[in-house]
């Protein structure tokens, strides 16, 4: 089954093509600067296990032009992997917000599209772009099933006491204001990988997704019971440019006493805070370089970043009533051995002890970095959101095909 995975952003499209159930992509790519001059397409195709990279600079006026170019690349004589768009059996779309309407992967119908549009206000930067990707894919891959995989779906198993806010009832019942959580596709993927690695489907684990955006999830027997991001992706951990948890009084003070507009506050907390606000850098590599050069402010920010994660580990160990493993994933989680060391330091009481030598070894697959006598496994599990989307699409369509027989 040929499954084309599309992650459509406001000015970009990430994509991968899988021939399921094979979990190695046939091709991958990124379209950047859509709507601007000198748009860039970076297309990678795997022929006889060798990677071939094609890079093109051209003007792409919109997402339809971008995805049309990608379709041509998929069919080009020398590097093509299909001969006709009709060979694509399904297009799996990453959709950031599914609200309470979608708790699982869903075949896209007219009604589903209308529901996604209703959720625009909950994810104004993401859902409109995701929706646009669906509209464009429907025009190009006319024979394919269009499937939505929601970032929020994995967190829909949270109990009400975890996702509700202590605000007037009608704000939840009428306006849908509650914690939804994000990065769900990544958390689900690494959680399932961890359960298989531990050979324990009932394991209690904490997944820690550290990229430019950061979030954590408490997972019991494969089901999310709590997560650090809330109504939007601003709460919880310190991130690259987002503040994470903040006393709401700070917002009132900035507006009422310091003269900020609400738009200015939103921009500041989402784009100019987090590690960028504390250090001037959002990339951990730059921050580590500053620390090495003796920048005490960068060191303080790094400590703060780790401290927030450590607090959440303690909280989630409590709500799980036990802990079998903690899992680091995503760009920073997979590659920054220093932050893993700092987070896991002085956590002997919880049974978390890290082996420094193992922690500093780099490898592509799942690796265990705890000491041999540690009660809790500490794992680095590379995430693969595109593969998770493809697998969910494959599972859904295979089930439906079986049921139809």
């Amino acid at each position: 089954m040929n499954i084309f995975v599309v992650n459509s952003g406001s000015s970009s499209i990430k994509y991968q093509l899988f021939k399921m159930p094979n979990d190695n992509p046939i091709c991958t790519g990124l379209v950047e600067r859509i709507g601007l001059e000198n748009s860039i397409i970076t297309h990678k195709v795997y022929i006889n296990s060798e990677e071939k990279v094609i890079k093109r600079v051209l003007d792409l006026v919109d997402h339809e032009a971008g995805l049309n170019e990608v379709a041509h690349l998929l069919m080009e004589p020398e590097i093509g992997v299909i001969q006709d768009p009709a060979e694509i059996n399904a297009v799996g779309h990453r959709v950031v917000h599914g609200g309470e309407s979608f708790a699982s992967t869903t075949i896209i119908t007219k009604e589903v599209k209308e529901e996604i549009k209703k959720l625009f206000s909950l994810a104004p930067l993401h859902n409109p772009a995701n929706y646009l990707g669906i509209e464009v894919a429907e025009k190009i891959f006319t024979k394919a099933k269009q499937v939505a995989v929601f970032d929020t779906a994995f967190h829909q198993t949270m109990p009400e006491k975890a996702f509700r806010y202590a605000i007037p009832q009608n704000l939840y019942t009428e306006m849908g204001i509650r914690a939804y959580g994000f990065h769900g596709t990544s958390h689900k993927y690494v959680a399932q990988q961890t359960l298989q690695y531990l050979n324990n489907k009932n394991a209690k684990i904490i997944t820690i997704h550290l990229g430019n955006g950061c979030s954590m999830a408490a997972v019991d027997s494969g089901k999310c019971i709590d997560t650090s991001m809330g109504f939007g992706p601003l709460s919880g951990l310190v991130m690259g440019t987002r503040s994470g948890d903040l006393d709401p009084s700070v917002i009132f003070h900035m507006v009422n006493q310091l003269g900020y507009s609400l738009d200015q506050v939103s921009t500041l907390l989402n784009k100019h805070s987090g590690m960028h606000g504390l250090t001037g850098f959002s990339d951990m590599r730059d921050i580590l370089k500053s620390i090495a050069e003796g920048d005490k402010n960068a060191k303080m920010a790094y400590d703060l970043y780790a401290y927030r994660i450590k607090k959440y580990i303690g909280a989630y160990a409590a709500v799980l009533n036990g802990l079998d493993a903690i899992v680091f994933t995503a760009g920073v989680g997979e590659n920054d051995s220093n932050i893993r060391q700092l987070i896991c330091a002085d956590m002997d009481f919880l049974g978390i002890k890290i082996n420094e030598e193992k922690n500093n070894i780099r490898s592509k697959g799942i690796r265990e970095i705890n000491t041999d006598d540690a009660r809790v496994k500490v794992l680095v599990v590379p995430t693969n959101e595109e593969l998770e989307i493809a697998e969910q699409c494959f599972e859904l369509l295979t089930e439906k095909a079986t049921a139809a027989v």
Side-chain angles (χ1 to χ4, degrees), residues 127-372:
N127 268 36
N130 304 153
Y131 182 89
L132 184 58
I134 294 168
E135 294 260 276
V136 172
E138 285 176 333
K139 294 179 183 178
I140 297 172
F141 304 104
T142 56
K143 301 293 185 183
K145 291 282 188 186
Q146 307 291 329
V147 181
V149 179
F150 299 92
D151 263 12
T152 51
F154 180 61
H155 305 302
Q156 284 295 300
T157 52
M158 288 193 294
E160 194 168 9
K161 63 185 177 185
F163 70 70
R164 287 289 299 273
Y165 293 124
I167 54 178
Q169 183 86 352
N170 69 302
L171 289 174
Y172 166 61
T173 56
E174 297 172 25
M175 307 297 177
I177 298 178
R178 50 157 285 182
Y180 290 100
F182 300 91
H183 295 146
T185 306
S186 176
H187 286 293
K188 181 176 182 180
Y189 178 80
V190 298
Q192 292 300 325
Q193 293 289 306
T194 301
L195 294 180
Q196 289 175 24
Y197 177 85
L198 298 175
N199 194 25
N200 178 6
K201 63 182 181 181
N202 298 315
K204 298 180 178 185
I205 61 180
I206 297 172
T207 51
I208 307 171
H209 177 108
L210 303 179
N212 191 48
C214 304
S215 64
M216 291 172 62
V219 184
D220 190 351
S221 306
K223 292 186 176 181
C224 177
I225 62 169
D226 207 343
T227 192
S228 59
M229 282 182 170
F231 179 70
L234 183 59
S235 65
L237 307 180
V238 176
M239 306 179 218
T241 64
R242 298 181 201 138
S243 65
D245 287 341
L246 182 79
D247 180 352
S249 301
V250 174
I251 297 172
F252 305 142
H253 181 77
M254 290 175 72
V255 172
N256 296 328
Q257 305 301 323
L258 304 181
Y260 283 77
S261 69
L262 287 173
D263 282 345
Q264 286 175 321
V265 173
S266 176
T267 299
L268 185 144
L269 295 181
N270 280 289
K271 297 183 178 180
H272 302 298
S273 293
M275 298 303 277
H276 183 269
L278 291 168
T279 69
F281 302 109
S282 60
D283 192 310
M284 278 298 189
R285 290 166 292 192
D286 294 324
I287 294 163
L288 284 168
K289 184 181 177 184
S290 295
I291 293 171
E293 293 169 352
D295 187 331
K296 292 182 179 178
N297 195 51
K299 180 62 169 66
M300 183 282 300
Y302 202 66
D303 288 343
L304 190 161
Y305 181 96
Y307 180 74
R308 184 74 58 84
I309 295 165
K310 194 185 292 267
K311 285 208 305 185
Y312 269 91
I313 290 173
Y316 287 171
V319 298
L320 286 165
N321 189 28
L323 189 58
D324 294 300
I326 64 171
V327 181
F328 290 97
T329 195
V332 176
E334 293 171 32
N335 297 303
D336 191 341
S337 59
N338 295 290
I339 203 67
R340 295 193 299 262
Q341 182 82 42
L342 190 58
I343 290 164
C344 294
D346 304 319
M347 297 190 75
D348 310 54
F349 179 78
L350 287 177
I352 297 170
K353 290 191 279 185
I354 202 167
N355 181 304
E356 190 171 342
E357 185 179 344
K358 288 181 182 177
N359 185 39
N360 288 320
I361 295 172
R362 286 177 176 254
S363 63
K364 289 186 177 180
I366 297 175
R367 63 191 190 275
E368 194 174 305
I369 60 172
N370 51 275
T371 60
D372 292 339

Side-chain angles (χ1 to χ4, degrees), residues 7-168:
N7 183 349
S8 182
S10 57
S11 62
S12 67
I13 303 169
K14 286 199 293 184
Y15 61 89
Q16 291 194 23
L17 177 61
F18 294 88
K19 192 174 185 66
M20 298 300 291
N22 192 323
D23 59 8
N24 292 313
I26 298 170
C27 72
T28 68
L30 174 64
V31 186
E32 301 173 89
R33 293 174 54 84
I34 295 172
L36 303 172
E37 289 184 7
N38 299 322
S39 308
I40 302 166
I41 300 179
T42 306
H43 182 80
K44 297 179 183 179
V45 62
Y46 303 91
I47 301 172
N48 299 324
S49 300
E50 286 189 20
E51 181 183 274
K52 187 168 185 179
V53 181
I54 299 93
K55 196 162 187 174
R56 292 184 179 165
V57 179
L58 63 170
D59 293 337
L60 299 171
V61 294
D62 55 23
H63 284 67
E64 186 168 356
L67 208 50
N68 268 315
E69 284 297 325
V70 171
H72 292 319
L73 282 167
L74 294 176
M75 295 182 290
E76 273 197 12
E78 287 188 16
I79 58 164
V81 290
I82 59 172
Q83 294 181 327
D84 191 290
E87 292 177 40
I88 301 296
N89 303 108
V91 181
H93 297 269
R94 179 201 180 204
V95 181
V96 166
H97 217 305
E100 290 190 324
S101 304
F102 302 104
S104 61
T105 299
T106 305
I107 291 177
I108 296 169
T109 61
K110 183 179 178 182
E111 292 73 25
V112 168
K113 285 168 66 177
E114 285 303 310
E115 198 62 35
I116 292 171
K117 284 177 76 173
K118 289 178 185 176
L119 296 166
F120 278 8
S121 63
L122 295 183
L125 298 178
H126 297 94
N127 268 36
N130 304 153
Y131 182 89
L132 184 58
I134 294 168
E135 294 260 276
V136 172
E138 285 176 333
K139 294 179 183 178
I140 297 172
F141 304 104
T142 56
K143 301 293 185 183
K145 291 282 188 186
Q146 307 291 329
V147 181
V149 179
F150 299 92
D151 263 12
T152 51
F154 180 61
H155 305 302
Q156 284 295 300
T157 52
M158 288 193 294
E160 194 168 9
K161 63 185 177 185
F163 70 70
R164 287 289 299 273
Y165 293 124
I167 54 178

